[in-house]
Amino acid sequence: MSSRPAPLLALVVPCYNEEETLPRTLNALAELLERCKAGGLIRPESYALYVDDGSRDRTWQVLEERHRHDPFCRGISFAANAGHQNAVWAGMDTARQWGADCIISLDADLQDDIGVIPEMLARYAEGCDIVYGVRKDRSSDTSFKRGTAHFFYRFMNWLNVRLIPDHADYRLVARPVLEVLPSYGEQTLFLRGLFPGLGFKSGKVYYARLSRQAGESKYPLLKMLSFAWKGITSCSAAPLRLAGLMSLLCMLAALAYSLVSLFQYMEGAVIPGWTSLIIVVLLLGSVQLFCLSVMGEYIAKIFTEVRRRPRYIVEKTL
């Protein structure tokens, strides 16, 4: 027996230049909402909330046209591009203010199978406050992307950062969690690392990731690497400690090399000067520059935090 009544559900869909794929997405999510309402899984006033992340194409115009004859298509539009994580956050916070009992965040390309949403709602009814959508496998990825993803999860685990492997931002979040989120005021968001550490009762549903039907990926390789680095530095101070460890190891290596050189000098051995000197200089210089760059990344985050600028500015609302 369900422990919770049917919720007021908001589907949170961040959009950035999704003009090509939106018509299909609008129809698919509208049909999904109707089926869930007819089955008594959600309340009749449940809706889809689209977050236009400063798109440069007709994404917002498509949403406006749909809203004219579909009141369950709602939206907010940023004044400028603020990033995917901020768009998801804005959707969650807006849904909370509009009284949603739970939200489900998913990307506009619908590569995350919406067919498991009823299963997510079943987990919610059983008492889970967070339900993660987890990929069954990564067979649809290239070997390079699959390998780098597995390395990233292992590395984050080594840093003691709690992540759900093969989970992106496809998740159900219940109102008790939504009420807590405003107290998290950091400017640099990494939601995949935030939710597992909250401590609320959680569950998982597994699905096969689908191929993209229209448009292009918003996460090319360089952007994915940047996102991974932001995730590491947002969730852990370990890179700073790693920089210190590297400096210590280089200092010990330099000390050992100095002792060996002194011993050879006392034995009368001829030591080639330039080669050994340039190796030491390059080694120590590269380590120092690496340590400075890591510290600079954290100082930049401190600078961003102390300015306390808004994460995003909502310009329009449907």
Side-chain angles (χ1 to χ4, degrees):
M1 179 179 294
S2 298
S3 59
R4 284 171 164 170
L8 171 56
L9 170 68
L11 299 175
V12 173
V13 187
C15 305
Y16 180 65
N17 294 339
E18 297 289 358
E19 177 185 356
E20 292 183 43
T21 193
L22 256 186
R24 172 180 169 271
T25 300
L26 290 166
N27 291 331
L29 294 185
E31 292 172 2
L32 172 72
L33 287 173
E34 287 301 319
R35 290 198 301 270
C36 291
K37 292 174 184 178
L41 300 178
I42 57 177
R43 285 165 50 183
E45 58 269 34
S46 298
Y47 57 90
L49 173 59
Y50 297 86
V51 183
D52 180 18
D53 185 19
S55 298
R56 297 188 300 271
D57 61 4
R58 295 187 68 256
T59 293
W60 184 249
Q61 286 74 17
V62 172
L63 293 175
E64 286 181 320
E65 292 166 4
R66 180 77 181 207
H67 179 70
R68 292 191 186 102
H69 61 85
D70 182 3
F72 298 109
C73 170
R74 303 184 183 182
I76 59 175
S77 178
F78 290 171
N81 178 256
H84 178 270
Q85 298 291 277
N86 284 321
V88 176
W89 184 280
M92 293 191 297
D93 193 52
T94 302
R96 176 188 64 83
Q97 295 175 39
W98 290 355
D101 296 315
C102 65
I103 67 95
I104 295 178
S105 59
L106 67 160
D107 290 340
D109 56 21
L110 295 190
Q111 287 186 265
D112 299 319
D113 184 11
I114 61 175
V116 300
I117 285 181
E119 189 178 349
M120 285 184 165
L121 293 169
R123 296 288 184 274
Y124 168 83
E126 293 168 0
C128 291
D129 289 318
I130 306 175
V131 182
Y132 301 102
V134 180
R135 296 175 61 174
K136 293 179 181 178
D137 57 59
R138 306 189 72 98
S139 57
S140 60
D141 292 343
T142 63
S143 57
F144 174 77
K145 187 173 182 180
R146 188 162 52 246
T148 53
H150 290 158
F151 171 78
F152 174 72
Y153 288 119
R154 288 195 297 268
F155 184 66
M156 293 295 276
N157 182 64
W158 180 71
L159 295 179
N160 292 322
V161 177
R162 295 178 60 186
L163 289 182
I164 306 298
D166 298 325
H167 162 72
D169 286 296
Y170 187 27
R171 69 178 72 86
L172 180 148
V173 182
R175 186 157 193 93
V177 184
L178 295 175
E179 294 288 358
V180 170
L181 291 182
S183 61
Y184 286 78
E186 60 260 39
Q187 302 294 300
T188 305
L189 294 172
F190 185 66
L191 299 179
R192 302 179 197 185
L194 173 64
F195 285 103
L198 294 179
F200 288 86
K201 182 178 180 180
S202 62
K204 298 177 183 177
V205 299
Y206 294 89
Y207 68 96
R209 188 167 173 82
L210 308 175
S211 59
R212 189 179 180 95
Q213 299 297 313
E216 59 183 14
S217 173
K218 304 304 184 296
Y219 273 91
L221 176 61
L222 290 179
K223 194 169 183 180
M224 287 180 60
L225 293 175
S226 175
F227 182 68
W229 177 246
K230 288 180 181 178
I232 292 170
T233 54
S234 295
C235 298
S236 175
L240 286 173
R241 301 188 182 99
L242 179 62
L245 177 61
M246 291 180 65
S247 300
L248 176 62
L249 292 176
C250 284
M251 183 182 69
L252 293 176
L255 179 62
Y257 184 80
S258 300
L259 293 175
V260 170
S261 299
L262 181 61
F263 176 77
Q264 290 181 336
Y265 175 77
M266 294 176 64
E267 291 290 322
V270 178
I271 304 174
W274 186 87
T275 302
S276 58
L277 178 62
I278 199 65
I279 290 175
V280 172
V281 170
L282 289 176
L283 177 64
L284 294 180
S286 61
V287 171
Q288 289 171 347
L289 289 175
F290 174 78
C291 295
L292 287 174
S293 66
V294 171
M295 288 187 286
E297 177 70 22
Y298 282 90
I299 292 172
K301 287 186 178 295
I302 294 172
F303 176 65
T304 300
E305 294 294 332
V306 298
R307 287 188 298 176
R308 307 302 300 170
R309 292 185 177 182
R311 298 191 187 105
Y312 52 84
I313 298 174
V314 176
E315 182 180 26
K316 303 174 185 176
T317 301
L318 295 175

